[in-house]
Amino acid sequence: MRIAVITTDGGAGKTAIAFAIAKELGLYLLSNDDSVIEAVYPDMARITKELHIIDDVVYDFGGFISAGVIDIIKVCDIVIVPCINDLNSKMKAIKTIDELKKYNDNFLVIATRTEDKRDLREVKEDLQKKFADIKVLPLRKTKMLKIGLEYGMSPFEVVQESKQLAYAARNFLPEYKEILKAVLGDEMYVELLKEKGVGDA
Ligand SMILES: Nc1ncnc2c1ncn2[C@@H]1O[C@H](COP(=O)(O)OP(=O)(O)OP(=O)(O)O)[C@@H](O)[C@H]1O
Ligand SMILES: [Mg+2]
């Protein structure tokens, strides 16, 4: 499976989301943008300006959309576009999707760092005004992604570390699971939960 995480908006959460999913699913992680991924995900993560098409991979695409990026987008199973509820982030998410929709038709917008229902509603409204049936899922403001990236752990691994972390993640986790389900499809999602020893609640 190949997953792309992309938006031209800087700081929207591409690297945090790409790492979480790659580590969770045991996929390679390739990025054309500097970050800590090689240090925290040794042997599996690689930063390189020359990205290649491989299998079992998450791509974390920073910067502008080059011809090389488009070639990879064409062969991805899903394109994840993180978007914060601010005008700049939404404008860039829309531009990114507009530019890429010729090459892929399976987009998932993650309304990220949401603080209330309004954040999700506004991202949904603004994106769906432009792309009527695009899927938008929320991912609340959380420390889980930052903690995961710092310790090189996926969200499921973080919550299994301690009762305190599990408690801190109690509202984040259902949203994160919905994202995994949307990425994997129902069957593979159920397999993943079994494999990770995570309940479906
Ligand atoms: N849902 C979230 N809740 C809270 N903080 C978040 C969330 N998602 C990402 N962050 C934090 O926001 C910051 C920016 O995220 P990240 O580096 O992943 O963005 P990016 O899109 O990769 O940025 P860049 O374009 O600079 O590569 C990080 O500190 C990250 O931990
Ligand atoms: Mg990044």
Side-chain angles (χ1 to χ4, degrees):
M1 141 162 261
R2 301 189 192 100
I3 299 165
V5 183
I6 187 166
T7 175
T8 56
D9 184 28
K14 295 181 291 291
T15 301
I17 290 168
F19 168 72
I21 292 174
K23 184 81 209 298
E24 204 71 84
L25 305 182
L27 302 175
Y28 294 110
L29 176 57
L30 293 181
S31 182
N32 56 359
D33 200 18
D34 258 351
S35 71
V36 298
I37 55 169
E38 288 179 331
V40 301
Y41 197 25
D43 303 328
M44 295 298 280
R46 182 123 190 265
I47 297 168
T48 165
K49 290 293 162 199
E50 293 284 308
L51 290 176
H52 294 289
I53 296 172
I54 60 171
D55 288 329
D56 307 318
V57 62
V58 179
Y59 292 97
D60 167 17
F61 288 120
F64 75 104
I65 300 169
S66 64
V69 169
I70 287 171
D71 286 340
I72 292 171
I73 291 292
K74 284 178 187 165
V75 298
C76 282
D77 300 288
I78 185 164
V79 181
I80 296 174
V81 178
C83 180
I84 298 165
N85 185 27
D86 69 42
L87 280 181
N88 194 52
S89 193
K90 287 183 282 192
M91 189 203 81
K92 288 188 171 179
I94 287 170
K95 275 197 152 175
T96 300
I97 297 166
D98 228 5
E99 222 174 310
L100 296 178
K101 67 177 196 285
K102 303 188 270 303
Y103 309 109
N104 197 302
D105 62 4
N106 192 21
F107 286 90
L108 170 63
V109 174
I110 299 184
T112 191
R113 237 184 280 169
T114 55
E115 297 190 66
D116 48 36
K117 290 213 166 92
R118 199 186 67 176
D119 281 335
L120 171 62
R121 193 178 64 235
E122 291 182 356
V123 170
K124 239 187 182 160
E125 275 172 12
D126 288 345
L127 273 284
Q128 289 179 345
K129 239 182 264 163
K130 185 87 177 129
F131 313 106
D133 39 37
I134 203 157
K135 188 158 193 180
V136 181
L137 289 175
L139 192 65
R140 67 186 51 219
K141 187 173 179 194
T142 175
K143 293 200 180 81
M144 289 302 132
L145 297 178
K146 184 179 147 97
I147 293 170
L149 204 50
E150 265 165 29
Y151 292 95
M153 288 191 283
S154 72
F156 286 169
E157 291 164 351
V158 171
V159 302
Q160 283 167 349
E161 273 297 292
S162 73
K163 285 219 163 80
Q164 282 88 340
L165 285 167
Y167 184 75
R170 69 195 180 285
N171 294 321
F172 156 80
L173 214 55
E175 295 178 346
Y176 174 66
K177 284 176 166 178
E178 280 304 310
I179 290 169
L180 290 177
K181 199 197 271 187
V183 168
L184 290 173
D186 291 355
E187 258 175 54
M188 276 166 73
Y189 170 72
V190 169
E191 282 300 305
L192 175 78
L193 293 190
K194 257 192 236 157
E195 183 190 310
K196 296 268 170 172
V198 176
D200 198 14

